[in-house]
């Protein structure tokens, strides 16, 4: 993917079948689906690919164990089907991971086992959906402690072991962008949609500004798709038909999910732990991830939508307290290597005035079509992005009078990531003792993955910022020097990029 090439094509082509606004999981998945069907497709992202919620997930591709308890069987079943497809279509980025559910009271172990057998059974209803997934089974107290040595042993009665899926969210986003591009789509970051054009009451295109150069572009399309997540209402505000008195619009409830990253010593194994009971009725996960321990997540409505939400003191304390109840050592603030939060674009309304817990709101997606034909998709989750994309392109075909074509993404392999071609030398040296990357990874991202800013490399092409803030700040000056040289930028640009990144990184520290 080369940004200059994408911009050149955007200037040359006058009209597109499908124009997608938003470069997160949903937008990128839609671009893959549309382009692989043969439609001329363009995707416009105002920041970087997966800059928002799509790079801030709990890193799980799963059916959603807790949704069994609330009776959302159809959603769990669909999610498990998509889990299986992702494991087949994106090997390396999506892989199985085993979880232990610890039992501390009499009767818990068989109770959890029955629930997880139902979970497994739902996956087997679709051929191939459970490939690579081991069946849930009960384990003894001794076996549980062998699997997770740091699990609290007092009153432990054993547990249940089950398998789900794990992934690196922003890396999957890049694979989607590469797959869309290889199928002919234009995908471009740092292009901000500033207005929606209309003709005879119908949405016909968008006005775009390149945030890097200031260049203005007009992009025309038969169908416009708004896939901007928590920012979807802001895009709907640009659509004149959405502002009419007769317009009906979905309400987005932004829900914050906070995560903590600790050293591997808190979970020195390859198994995750599902914490089945919390004070507010959620489940929590402790997960091995890229040599660290990931803890998450919370589920609280927030009053404002931010690009870089910062976890609250209360949420950090909540996570440390609950994980401390199940591990031999309770983490402290000094143990947190990084913290991050994402905003879920949930649909609906809270039942009680002043209520802030959003865990009861549905995770299913909702599609809204305005009077002008602007298609907006809200809700959903990473696991079901492919099905969401299929649904929205099916609708776009009808709305745009496009030649019918069926989706092929059920079995479409996503682009394989190509490692840097360095055998020896300084490019292949480790980036930092506390980070699981090499300088060749940085070089590869700059050459092939449409990196524009320092944050793109250190937060999303690699996950350095989410793994260890202090270590990332140490290598940032050298990385930005490389990026400036690669992009032909001067010392002033380099200094400004470094200052902006160091300021941003403060939000990832407790």
């Amino acid at each position: 993917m080369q940004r200059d090439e994408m911009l050149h094509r955007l200037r040359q082509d006058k009209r597109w079948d499908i124009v997608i606004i938003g470069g997160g999981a949903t937008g990128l998945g839609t671009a893959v689906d549309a382009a692989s069907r043969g439609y001329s497709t363009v995707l416009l992202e105002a920041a970087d690919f997966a800059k928002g919620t799509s790079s801030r997930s709990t890193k799980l591709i799963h059916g959603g164990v807790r949704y069994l308890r609330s009776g959302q069987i159809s959603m769990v079943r669909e999610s498990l089907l998509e889990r299986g497809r992702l494991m087949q279509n994106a090997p390396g980025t999506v892989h199985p991971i085993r979880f232990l559910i610890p039992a501390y009271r009499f009767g818990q172990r068989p109770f959890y086992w029955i629930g997880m057998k139902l979970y497994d059974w739902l996956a087997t209803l679709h051929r191939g959906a459970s490939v690579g997934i081991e069946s849930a089974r009960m384990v003894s107290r001794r076996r549980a402690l062998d699997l997770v040595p740091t699990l609290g042993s007092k009153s432990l009665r054993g547990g249940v072991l089950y398998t789900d899926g794990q992934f690196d969210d922003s890396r999957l986003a890049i694979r989607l962008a590469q797959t869309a591009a290889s199928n002919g789509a234009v995908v471009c970051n740092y292009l901000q949609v500033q207005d929606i054009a209309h003709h005879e009451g119908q949405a016909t295109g968008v006005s775009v500004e390149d945030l890097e150069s200031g260049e203005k572009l007009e992009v025309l399309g038969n169908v416009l798709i708004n896939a901007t997540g928590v920012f979807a209402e802001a895009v709907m505000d640009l659509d004149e038909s959405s502002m009419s008195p007769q317009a009906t619009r979905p309400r987005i409830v932004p829900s914050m999910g906070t995560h903590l990253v600790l050293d591997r010593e808190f979970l020195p194994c390859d198994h995750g732990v599902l914490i089945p009971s919390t004070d507010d009725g959620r489940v929590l996960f402790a997960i091995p991830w890229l040599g660290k321990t990931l803890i998450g997540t919370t589920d609280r409505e927030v009053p404002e939508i931010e690009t870089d939400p910062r976890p609250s003191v209360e949420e950090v304390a909540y996570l440390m307290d609950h994980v401390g109840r199940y591990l031999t050592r309770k983490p402290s603030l000094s143990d947190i290597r990084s913290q991050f939060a994402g905003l879920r674009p949930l649909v609906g309304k809270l039942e009680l005035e002043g209520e802030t817990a959003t865990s009861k709101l549905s995770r299913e997606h909702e599609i809204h079509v305005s009077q002008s034909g602007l298609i907006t998709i809200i809700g959903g989750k990473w696991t079901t992005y492919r099905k969401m994309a299929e649904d929205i392109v099916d609708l776009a075909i009808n709305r745009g009078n496009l030649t019918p074509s069926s989706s092929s993404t059920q079995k479409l392999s996503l682009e394989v990531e190509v490692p840097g071609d360095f055998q020896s030398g300084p490019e292949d040296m480790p980036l930092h003792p506390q980070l699981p990357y090499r300088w060749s990874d940085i070089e590869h991202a700059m050459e092939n993955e449409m990196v524009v800013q320092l944050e793109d490399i250190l937060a999303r092409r690699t996950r350095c910022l989410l793994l260890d803030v202090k270590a990332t700040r140490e290598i940032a000056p050298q990385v930005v020097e490389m990026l400036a040289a690669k992009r032909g930028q001067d010392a002033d640009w380099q200094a400004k990029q470094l200052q902006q990144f160091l300021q941003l990184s403060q939000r990832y520290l407790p």
Side-chain angles (χ1 to χ4, degrees), residues 423-442:
Q423 302 301 318
S424 61
E427 297 92 346
D428 204 38
M429 294 293 289
L431 198 59
H432 189 283
Q434 301 301 318
L435 297 169
Y437 298 102
R438 309 183 78 83
W439 286 103
S440 55
D441 297 316
I442 301 294

Side-chain angles (χ1 to χ4, degrees), residues 14 59 77 79 85 98 161-162 167 222 246 259 278 306 322 328 348 371 406 432 451 479:
K14 299 300 181 183
K59 322 305 177 195
R77 180 179 174 181
S79 297
R85 286 172 173 160
R98 293 199 295 176
L161 196 64
Y162 77 98
F167 78 137
N222 290 329
Q246 296 81 21
H259 302 82
T278 60
E306 298 180 88
H322 279 85
T328 53
Q371 292 175 325
S406 300
H432 189 283
V451 168
V479 175

Side-chain angles (χ1 to χ4, degrees), residues 320-332:
M320 289 194 300
D321 175 52
H322 279 85
V323 76
R325 300 177 190 178
Y326 285 82
L327 299 181
T328 53
R329 178 183 159 201
K330 180 179 179 179
S332 64

Side-chain angles (χ1 to χ4, degrees), residues 224-229 231-233 235-236 239 242 250 252 365-370 373-378 392 395:
L224 305 186
I225 296 173
N226 173 16
T228 53
F231 300 99
E233 289 194 69
V235 174
M236 284 189 279
D239 177 25
S242 294
I252 295 177
H365 64 278
E366 181 175 308
I367 299 175
H368 172 78
V369 183
S370 74
L374 174 68
I375 301 175
T376 297
I377 182 164
I378 304 170
I392 204 165
L395 177 59

Side-chain angles (χ1 to χ4, degrees), residues 232-263:
E233 289 194 69
V235 174
M236 284 189 279
D237 288 342
L238 301 176
D239 177 25
E240 60 187 26
S241 71
S242 294
M243 305 303 290
S244 69
Q246 296 81 21
T248 57
R249 289 171 41 162
R251 183 201 166 197
I252 295 177
V253 178
S255 165
M256 178 183 285
T258 292
H259 302 82
L260 307 180
V261 178
L262 313 172
D263 283 332

Side-chain angles (χ1 to χ4, degrees), residues 373-392:
L374 174 68
I375 301 175
T376 297
I377 182 164
I378 304 170
K381 55 181 184 173
W382 249 118
T383 304
T384 55
Y385 85 86
R386 191 213 61 82
K387 183 61 169 64
M388 294 161 61
E390 181 180 329
D391 289 349
I392 204 165

Side-chain angles (χ1 to χ4, degrees), residues 6-25:
M6 296 294 178
L7 287 170
H8 175 73
R9 288 184 56 197
L10 205 54
R11 298 184 193 103
Q12 296 296 114
D13 293 352
K14 299 300 181 183
R15 191 174 189 90
W16 303 81
D17 291 329
I18 295 176
V19 175
I20 302 163
I21 308 169

